Amino acid sequence: MRLSFAISLSPTKFSAISSDNWKKSLTLMKKLGFAGVELGIRDPLAVDSTDLQLTLRKNDLQLVAIGTGQAYVDEGLSLSDPNPGIRKKAVSRMKKQVDLAAQFKCYVIIGLIRGTLAGAAAERKRRINSLAGKMQELSAYAKRKKVKLLIEPLNRYETNIMNTAAETVAFIKRHKLDNCYLLLDTFHMNIEEKDLFKTVSLFGSRVGHIHIADSNRLYPGAGHLDFIKIMKAIKKTGYKGYLSGEYQPLPDAQTAMKKYINYMRGV
Ligand SMILES: [Mn+2]
């Protein structure tokens, strides 16, 4: 399993990743020995992909995945918004993310961009069905571009749509989203899963990517998660992908990144 780290390409309100100068971060990542990087991107049209390609190559880093939640946090776009105009904007933004991902052969993550549901049960059901339709459209679009989508179960304080791995896999199966895979995040799992280790072994074959953060959303070792046991469970599934550090850049972004690589090499 290779190590990557999640950073933002531009300033964002999303607190779980660093928005320090991305080129400086990539230089440090190369120095520390990371194999890949995960980039939070608000608007892919604002990205100079040639410059990005050259900078990645210079630092021997692979772009592993694109995080898309900033369009929700910073602009209020969501795939399940009651307003059809906003839903449409969210879909077209996500298609642009897929176009960018196609150039780098990386994943696109569906996290906060799915939004959250309010209102009565009937209204929620309508919006879930509408979300499923949008997901089918995106999944098919991405498949044509040979890009895989990742759906990340998120904890209940951030959304009420797909909190657990079981709910997420059920959603994928029910709506025949055969181009969508599971992104497991140890921070969210610690809040939502009855048994984190069992979840890993149960859904391992469906996992495309993994986020690592401790119980308090800080660097691993700062909280109370048992990463030795977690790594054993992941290894057992035959997972060959990346382990991406994704958590609050504290006490500062550089220290948080150094702590990650040191700790993960230890476990
Ligand atoms: Mn995550």
Side-chain angles (χ1 to χ4, degrees):
M1 286 175 277
R2 290 158 294 178
L3 297 180
S4 55
F5 203 82
I7 60 167
S8 178
L9 207 56
S10 52
T12 174
K13 280 188 259 170
F14 183 58
S15 66
I17 51 177
S18 156
S19 344
D20 275 13
N21 179 296
W22 67 276
K23 287 191 178 178
K24 274 189 191 157
S25 297
L26 260 52
T27 307
L28 178 63
M29 287 176 72
K30 177 192 166 82
K31 207 175 119 198
L32 293 173
F34 280 95
V37 62
E38 182 179 323
L39 288 175
I41 294 174
R42 186 181 59 75
D43 183 358
L45 286 183
V47 176
D48 178 346
S49 61
T50 312
D51 183 33
L52 178 57
Q53 190 77 263
L54 286 172
T55 311
L56 287 167
R57 207 172 298 156
K58 198 176 95 188
N59 293 294
D60 298 315
L61 289 164
Q62 193 184 343
L63 179 55
V64 181
I66 295 175
T68 60
Q70 291 177 26
Y72 175 73
V73 179
D74 296 321
E75 288 177 73
L77 300 186
S78 106
L79 295 168
S80 66
D81 198 275
N83 179 336
I86 291 181
R87 291 202 297 272
K88 206 175 150 193
K89 261 193 184 166
V91 170
S92 94
R93 178 70 58 91
M94 289 303 287
K95 285 183 176 170
K96 298 281 180 279
Q97 298 278 26
V98 169
D99 295 344
L100 183 66
Q103 293 183 50
F104 294 89
K105 299 183 172 57
C106 72
Y107 288 114
V108 172
I109 302 171
I110 314 272
L112 285 169
I113 193 72
R114 64 181 173 272
T116 192
L117 302 178
E123 164 68 7
R124 289 182 185 214
K125 204 176 166 192
R126 260 198 306 278
R127 283 176 56 194
I128 272 286
N129 287 333
S130 150
L131 170 69
K134 299 285 181 235
M135 287 296 302
Q136 283 165 340
E137 181 184 342
L138 278 176
S139 179
Y141 181 85
K143 197 174 184 178
R144 284 198 297 277
K145 306 246 167 179
K146 297 190 171 62
V147 171
K148 288 175 180 166
L149 303 181
L150 297 165
I151 308 182
E152 178 176 15
L154 301 173
N155 76 73
R156 69 191 67 186
Y157 307 106
E158 297 184 38
T159 179
N160 51 17
I161 311 171
M162 292 182 274
N163 300 124
T164 65
E167 285 167 355
T168 309
V169 170
F171 185 86
I172 288 172
K173 285 187 176 164
R174 192 180 317 127
H175 303 291
K176 300 188 172 54
L177 301 167
D178 66 327
N179 191 39
C180 292
Y181 296 80
L182 199 54
L183 192 176
L184 292 181
D185 180 315
T186 54
F187 167 74
H188 297 298
M189 280 201 288
N190 178 57
I191 297 170
E192 295 296 341
E193 302 293 340
K194 218 181 275 173
D195 182 334
L196 204 150
F197 314 104
K198 221 171 164 180
T199 299
V200 169
S201 48
L202 206 56
F203 300 106
S205 63
R206 196 75 217 176
V207 175
H209 191 51
I210 293 174
H211 280 165
I212 300 286
D214 216 322
S215 51
N216 44 10
R217 214 171 206 176
L218 293 175
Y219 56 83
H224 58 68
L225 287 184
D226 184 346
F227 282 103
I228 293 179
K229 208 172 157 191
I230 293 172
M231 284 314 131
K232 270 187 192 154
I234 294 173
K235 222 173 172 183
K236 252 192 178 166
T237 67
Y239 178 73
K240 294 275 187 293
Y242 280 85
L243 299 170
S244 231
E246 190 218 29
Y247 46 81
Q248 296 181 67
L250 296 171
D252 61 80
Q254 299 191 350
T255 308
M257 201 184 278
K258 284 178 195 157
K259 291 262 189 196
Y260 181 68
I261 205 139
N262 290 335
Y263 188 89
M264 296 306 281
R265 279 180 177 154
V267 299

